[in-house]
Amino acid sequence: MLRILITLAALACCGSPAFSETLNSFRHAHGLPALQRNGSLQALAHRHAQSMAMRRTIDHSGFYTERGKAGARAENVAAGCTSESCAIALWAGSSGHRQNMLLPDVRKYGLASSGHYWCLVLGR
């Protein structure tokens, strides 16, 4: 049921083609510096997005044992979005995910999608 609600919220929030929020524009709007895309975090995000798509579920499986040990500080996942701006908007509307995107001590990130499954990995 939660997955369906998340998907419906994602589709509802992002119907406007004029919406073009990115992670760094979101951070900039809140007075925080831009993050640098990082190849290692990008690969971690890509693998997890693919894993979620293959399993058809959203979760943080392996965060502490894999991505956390590889330098990830926080992670956001989503399903149902067809664009980065939709995923950012979905996360911005959720207090925990919003807090992750506004962490002041992170400097780099990886963001990937596989189909409609998204993973954002944030690190120092």
Side-chain angles (χ1 to χ4, degrees):
M1 180 66 155
L2 179 61
R3 185 171 9 151
I4 292 169
L5 293 175
I6 290 171
T7 300
L8 292 175
L11 295 174
C13 79
C14 306
S16 169
F19 187 85
S20 63
E21 186 97 66
T22 65
L23 175 60
N24 280 329
S25 64
F26 179 79
R27 286 178 60 84
H28 179 74
H30 292 86
L32 292 169
L35 303 178
Q36 296 297 313
R37 194 173 287 254
N38 175 273
S40 296
L41 295 180
Q42 185 69 28
L44 293 170
H46 180 73
R47 278 196 298 276
H48 191 55
Q50 281 187 318
S51 172
M52 291 187 300
M54 286 181 0
R55 295 179 289 117
R56 297 180 189 221
T57 188
I58 58 172
D59 60 29
H60 296 284
S61 177
F63 178 77
Y64 292 109
T65 58
E66 297 167 19
R67 295 176 297 286
K69 286 184 178 181
R73 163 89 166 73
E75 173 180 89
N76 288 356
V77 298
C81 289
T82 59
S83 67
E84 176 181 347
S85 60
C86 176
I88 298 298
L90 184 65
W91 292 325
S94 164
S95 63
H97 295 100
R98 180 183 186 86
Q99 285 178 330
N100 284 347
M101 293 191 301
L102 296 175
L103 286 169
D105 65 336
V106 296
R107 300 289 176 255
K108 50 192 176 180
Y109 76 102
L111 175 64
S113 69
S114 182
H116 297 288
Y117 292 85
W118 290 80
C119 181
L120 169 65
V121 177
L122 301 155
R124 295 184 186 142

